Amino acid sequence: MKTKTFPHGIHPQELKEATSHTSLQPLPAPEKVIIPLHQHFGSPAEPLVKKGDEVFMGQKIGESKSFFSACVHSSVSGKVMKVENYNHPLGNPVPAVTISNDGDDRVFPEIKKHKNPLSLNPEKIRHIVKDAGIVGLGGAAFPTAVKLSPPKDKPIDTIIINGCECEPLLTADHRLMLEYPDEIIQGAELVRIATGAEKIILGIENNKQDVYKLLQKKNYTFPLEISLLKTKYPQGAEKNLISALLKRVVPRGGLPFDVGVVVQNVGTVKAIWDAVNTGKPLYERALTVSGAGITSPKNLIVRIGSLFQNAIDYCGGLQDSANILVMGGPMMGLAQGTPDVPVIKGTSGILAWAEPEQITEHNCISCRRCVTHCPMGLVPTQLMKYSKLDYLSEAESRGIMDCVECGSCQYSCPAGIPLVHWLRVGKNKITDLKRKKSA
Amino acid sequence: MPSKSVGAEYIKGLWEENPVFRQLLGMCPILAVTNAVINGIAMGLATYFVLILSSVVVSSIKKLIPSQVRIASYIVIIATFVTIADRFMAAFFPPISKSLGPYIPLIVVNCIILGRQEAFSSKNSVGRSLVDALGMSTGFILALLVLSSIREILGMGTFLGHQVMGAWFKPWIIMILPAGAFITLGILLAVALVIESETKKRKN
Amino acid sequence: MNLSARMIVVLTAVGLISGSLMAVVGMLTKDRIALNRQQEIEAAILEVVPGTDTSEELFTEKNFTIYGGKNRDGNLIGYAVYTSGTGFQDIISLMFGTDPNITKINALSILEQKETPGLGAKITDKELFLRFWDNKNAGSALSLRKPAVRSQDELAANEVNTITGATISSDKVLSIVNQSLEKLKQIKQAGKLISEDNDAE
Amino acid sequence: MTNNRFILKSSPHFKGKDSVPKIMYAVIISLIPAIAASFYFFRIRALLIYLLSVSACLITEAVFLKARKKPMHSLWDGSAIITGLLLAMTLPPSLSLEIVVIGAVVSITLGKHVFGGLGDNIFNPALVGRAFLQVAFPVAMTTWIPPVTNQINTATYATPLGNLKFQAAAAQGALTPLKDLFWGNIGGCLGETSAVALLLGAAFLLYKRAIDWRIPVGIISILTVFTGIFWLTGPDKYASPAFHFLAGGLIIGAFFMATDMVTSPISPLGAWIYALGIGLLIGIIRLFGGFPEGVMFSILLMNTFVPLINRYTRPRILGERSTH
Amino acid sequence: MDVLIPILTMGALGLIFSVGLAIAYQKLKVEEDPKVAIISEALPQANCGACGYSGCRAFAEAVIKGEAETNGCPVGGEETIIKIAEIMGVKAGEVVKKIARILCHGDTEAAKDRGIYLGITTCYAANLTGGNKLCPYGCLGFGDCVLACPFDAIHMGGDGLPVVDGKKCTACGKCVEACPRNIIELVPLAQNMLVFCRNLDKGIAPKKACKNACIGCGICARACPEAIIMENNLAIIKDYKKIDPEKIPAIEKCPTNAIGRLFKEDEG
Amino acid sequence: MELLTLFIAAILVNNFVLYYFLGICPFLGVSKKIDSAFSMGLAVTFVMTITAVVSWMINHWILIPYNLDYLQIVSFILVIAALVQLVEMFIRKISPPLYQALGIYLPLITTNCAIMGLALLAALKDYGFAKTVVFGVGSGLGFTLAIVLMAGIREQLDLADVPEPLKGAGIALIIAGIIALAFTGFSGMIN
């Protein structure tokens, strides 16, 4: 079958067999949930509750006035124990609401169903999405309401639903597509209505043939095109996906808006459908718990605010040899120091395996594998050196800010150089400098 | 102006402010004429002569020269002495003069000389300028001597034309060629820096 | 005195003084330098036309001079040709001598060269190169023996030896000599050699 | 469960199987046929030169790593061994052994460590050593002996290219037969003589994708075109492209030296420019220069251009509008 | 006559040259920062390029623009450097002498690791991955400040914390900028009492992370409320001059030694 | 044809920097960035061309006729200095952009031994007018080539882990040595 793809990129081991055939199952809500108020890209939410407050499941507990933000909802019903800093999978502790679960899952009474979701107007859909605290569930946690509000001068013609799940090990999106195809497609239709686009393209990597066949059979009446893509990393990266499917190139520093496209993850569109159809805000998500270090890998639907430990315990606990714990996929995920961190909206996977404790780093021999594989057309080894030596303006002029940190360069680097880490250092330093200048 | 003792004024040219190793001045002659020790010495002496005399002259007439034409005047003064040195060599040491080619006349644009006039002689008394010039040119000769010795010994197995290496030694012809000159001087500069930082460390 | 005037006066004065100084030095060294040059030429002539007592310039143009060497009796005993051409790196200036009839080359002397030291520069080496030029047949163009041989006996009458490893430099010297030899013959034939003593022929 | 059981590092957490030593050892393996050929043609001398060159390179490398407080595992990444092998392969078999050692020390010192070690060097280390020796000991470096399998009694034996340049072999019809060039039954540098052995190794490297195919292809095609034009205009004066392809150091240079990743350009376009430059320079030097062989100089010369080539042939960033 | 020609030639050359210059100076004068001329004057005018600029004037311009260091001319030697510095120098008024202080006592023994850190060993890089230490506020111990110090005044102590050499520190602030966790501060040299912690959490979390963390208990603030206040669970010395020497023992009752004197022997 | 060989030889074979060691100070000093190295190279080429013309005129119209060869040094340097200064002032006045690109390198060139060396070498080799000019242009381009190559390499080496004592002039000289080594490949090419 003819598949589409983008230039460069890599093909790491997929390792998806462990979970690709296990259906999604709900993780029992733990006794207490710790819900960080900052789980998304943008400004943090302010707490709406205080210690001792009684909350319902789905009740809004955090909100920000900023446009670039998302609300936070309680994932259980119970009592607020404290609002205090707590460990966060993204690094530094942030304020979090700890709620003791009364086990009743009493749904917030103000939650409303919408009878005929597909006939709602765009404004309404955006409003519901914003109110439901939906963010991109692919990992970046970009507020979805923002994505649904393209600037007036940039008309959107195509909605791309990202079903690639190009990261190794992860299969939660795969399962979602198999188990909730109608929700996903209808959610996509809602996005199309909200943005005024003409068509929807669902991109799936060709290692998910079963999904492709299932969806072909369904014969949806929406303006939907299902496209098979080559199994290649990072097929799911926004700009590369657009180039693979539409042969359109997002300009440097630009957004998919600039070429008339909105990209949404399958999990996100499902959440949109749920929010509009049933009124359910985003308080749980599908994720994969897998890797050689997990005793029995599973795909779970997890309440936001459950601890990693809860999910791992449910999957039989960690193997003794496991010495790395990662949130997200192995290519872009974040290594965790402890399982005592809450699941957040951006947690697409909890992975563990055994990693060698010694990294042998050789000198860069300019083998240009990083250049060959960089999906963004950068020269990572050079950027790495600029970053290392603090030549920030050179790094910037040679495109360090275009780096999406996909890790293709480092994956293919025979010298074992932590390229991505260096590039992140450089990018952050440049951002710091700009912030300082504008301040 | 910080006043140094006469001794210190002299000594600084040998190492601390050695024109070649520390200040990277006069690179062209240093590279070009050091393929044999004799050439190096001749070049050094010519520079010595020019630097000292022009330093004395410049420092003694410094007050008369308006600053706008001082560079021009210095050049004329230096050029005069260079011409004298050049003619003298051509007349009495024709083989050396021949092998040095245009490099004796080029002393006139040697940064060491013009630089010292501007930096020192134009501001200091005749005596101090003389001492400074002596120090600087000794430092220059020293550098020429070191480089030319290395190059001649390795490149031809001789020192001042006398065989010093045994018959087993195969001369490294590269040393008398441009490539060898560049590489040797590069390594010498590094050695000078190492010595400098070591002595600094010891002082601390 | 305003600034411009002072500038002009001072610089002119400096110019004048240095001019006089240089004039003096110029005068003092001029003869000596000319003498050096002459001695060098004379030594070379003596080398390539042995037995020369006096010599005179018979023909001259840019970078090409024919000297006539005369013995004590004033008889022409040979021509010494000063010539130059491009070598491996730079110009090679040399002198070679012939008998008055230009039938043989007496000897070769290299005056100036900047060939690779230790390699091409061996063209100045008597033992390795120059001795193979003694008494060569000048009737036709000379040729180079490649690869090098060790003794004079192995060479033909119009063959000269190569320097091992410096074939090009040897070749260049050969072609300079061959060209100049041809030129010498032509000039002589055309009778352009001035003040030639006809008796010598 | 203790707090510090887990490894902390930045993504990505997966890594491909390629490693620097693997790449380097692939190159070493690819050199084996040519090395074996040189043992066959030059016997014990070949062995001695290889041993000395490689061990001198390794010792020099070790001294520098130690002095500069660099990780010692770099010693065995294979790069010093390759330098030693390539240097030895480009030396005349009759070279005296202390010169071999000087060459090896110079290769590692001036070719590599003055720039900061592997990866930072601008020039191919083996070629720096080789060029140094060529200029330092010109006579020793141009004195050849015939292979033991082809005993011709001449005191001064010349390489096929030397014959072409200095004996006007083309005019006399005395060009070394292509068959000898192909099998390597000729005089020349240790590892350069046998074209077939080198091509075998090159095929392995190309199969392993350890080298950029554009570079040898570019060099060989431009040289073929260049020498071909002259050959067609005067076959009695110039040698055929096939001769130029098989003779001298072209194959080892094009496949094993010009392709050195550290010293060749990054982008594909850059690789083409670089390769064309090398091929053209080889042609010019072989046909008009003072030296019979120009591979070494050409590669070194183009090495100096690599930073400029890299600067002006940077790959286009995704979404970047062309400025032209 | 022969003697006169060179003399006249030289005289003429000098004359033409100086006249040309004189005219040029008047006709072709270009306005510029007078400082450039002054600095140019102070330079050797060798135009040798040893400074990396295209000439003495270019170097002077670079100095004025702040691109080049005042000691960038290797030819002129010390005198030139002093002169340029004098021209460029702004006379510093009487200011309180400050020194950089490391406000963290999370040494290798006190502060726990967050995991086995295998990333790039600089503080900045470690901080991006959440740090190698359990305490999210404390010193990471990779010595970015050491590298940043242009005066060689900071080095890593044996306990994994940087040490500032008071004699060499010029309070330039480079280390303050370099520290990704902002635990270095320029403090008046005379200030002896400091809070050696930046942890904003309360109670167990800081205690778990580091033995020497400020747990926000407020004992010190209660002992000396006029000088010390609590803010975001952290003790802050508002005004060290107001600390009553008699209250020091009470302040130093801190259960974790997060607040204390630098040199106990100096005071009562 | 002769002029062409002279031209190529001046660029490649007898390169001013790599063969004659002339102009080393700017070669080391202004070779840190490619852009400034290129401007410097152009400025040198420009001045060299002028110098070639002017020095030939002085030599053949004044010095040789009056037998004043010992005034070569002083007259060449004075005229070059004056000329360069005038050109500099002139450019500065009429075209500030050109001054920024080229002019700022001019004062540095006055005392550049490459310029003086050109005048002296041309006189020494007794070149005719056309040859002198070709020699001047060729040598200038040769200088440009060398300095731009050097700058390219040094920009790249900026990212390298060059041993501390070799940083700066040390490594630059060694690179120059290796480039000179590579350039020996061209020797013997002039016929």
Side-chain angles (χ1 to χ4, degrees), chain D residues 17 22 32-33 65 69 118 139 158 163 173 178 233 238 250 315 322:
Chain D
K17 291 200 183 77
K22 267 190 195 163
I32 288 177
L65 290 176
K69 300 189 182 76
L118 178 64
V139 176
N163 268 328
L178 293 182
T233 56
Y238 299 102
L250 182 77
S322 79

Side-chain angles (χ1 to χ4, degrees), chain B residues 58-81:
Chain B
V58 166
S59 59
S60 42
I61 62 165
K62 58 179 182 272
K63 293 222 175 75
L64 296 174
I65 306 173
S67 72
Q68 286 81 350
V69 290
R70 64 180 196 277
I71 301 286
S73 317
Y74 299 160
I75 288 178
V76 175
I77 292 166
I78 295 166
T80 308
F81 290 118

Side-chain angles (χ1 to χ4, degrees), chain D:
Chain D
M1 198 174 297
T2 54
N3 263 329
N4 48 14
R5 156 180 194 181
F6 296 114
I7 286 173
L8 299 171
K9 63 183 170 72
S10 172
S11 62
H13 307 291
F14 274 14
K15 199 187 152 332
K17 291 200 183 77
D18 239 349
S19 79
V20 168
K22 267 190 195 163
I23 297 174
M24 294 291 179
Y25 285 106
V27 176
I28 293 175
I29 290 169
S30 74
L31 288 173
I32 288 177
I35 294 171
S38 52
F39 287 160
Y40 174 73
F41 290 122
F42 300 105
R43 305 290 146 94
I44 189 80
R45 269 219 81 81
L47 181 73
L48 272 177
I49 292 179
Y50 280 119
L51 271 182
L52 262 180
S53 170
V54 171
S55 44
C57 278
L58 280 174
I59 292 170
T60 318
E61 176 87 15
V63 168
F64 273 100
L65 290 176
K66 192 111 203 165
R68 302 196 57 214
K69 300 189 182 76
K70 299 271 164 189
M72 283 312 271
H73 67 72
S74 300
L75 181 58
W76 299 109
D77 62 15
S79 64
I81 300 176
I82 292 181
T83 302
L85 287 175
L86 285 178
L87 175 71
M89 292 174 84
T90 56
L91 296 177
S94 57
L95 198 65
S96 60
L97 298 176
E98 79 263 20
I99 295 184
V100 175
V101 175
I102 293 173
V105 173
V106 168
S107 292
I108 297 290
T109 313
L110 291 183
K112 196 165 159 192
H113 277 283
V114 294
F115 299 104
L118 178 64
D120 287 337
N121 50 314
I122 302 290
F123 306 96
N124 186 320
L127 285 180
V128 171
R130 160 78 219 231
F132 186 94
L133 293 185
Q134 172 84 53
V135 179
F137 308 102
V139 176
M141 291 294 285
T142 47
T143 309
W144 310 97
I145 51 168
V148 287
T149 50
N150 185 5
Q151 279 305 355
I152 310 161
N153 187 22
T154 39
T156 45
Y157 189 79
T159 58
L161 281 172
N163 268 328
L164 174 67
K165 174 133 258 161
F166 299 125
Q167 325 278 24
Q172 297 170 6
L175 273 183
T176 319
L178 293 182
K179 190 187 76 174
D180 283 351
L181 289 173
F182 184 69
W183 293 110
N185 201 11
I186 46 167
C189 301
L190 264 191
E192 288 181 358
T193 52
S194 176
V196 64
L198 286 166
L199 287 172
L200 218 65
F204 173 74
L205 276 187
L206 285 172
Y207 165 72
K208 278 285 208 176
R209 296 188 183 203
I211 55 171
D212 188 344
W213 59 273
R214 294 173 189 91
I215 294 172
V217 167
I219 294 175
I220 291 163
S221 36
I222 190 83
L223 185 68
T224 306
V225 171
F226 186 83
T227 54
I229 291 170
F230 282 94
W231 181 57
L232 290 176
T233 56
D236 54 336
K237 233 177 124 191
Y238 299 102
S240 70
F243 178 85
H244 278 287
F245 171 61
L246 292 170
L250 182 77
I251 298 174
I252 194 172
F255 286 96
F256 297 92
M257 290 174 153
T259 51
D260 173 20
M261 291 160 171
V262 180
T263 56
S264 54
I266 282 175
S267 69
L269 176 64
W272 283 118
I273 297 173
Y274 169 78
L276 298 187
I278 293 177
L280 208 61
L281 284 171
I282 294 177
I284 292 173
I285 294 177
R286 278 189 179 180
L287 263 45
F288 309 112
F291 295 95
E293 175 59 304
V295 173
M296 167 184 74
F297 291 119
S298 307
I299 298 176
L300 277 179
L301 277 166
M302 286 315 288
N303 281 166
T304 65
F305 280 92
V306 167
L308 290 178
I309 295 176
N310 275 343
R311 183 179 153 114
Y312 294 108
T313 61
R314 183 167 59 81
R316 173 105 60 89
I317 297 171
L318 185 69
E320 186 176 27
R321 290 199 183 87
S322 79
T323 45
H324 307 294

Side-chain angles (χ1 to χ4, degrees), chain B residues 54 102 165:
Chain B
S54 27
M165 298 296 254

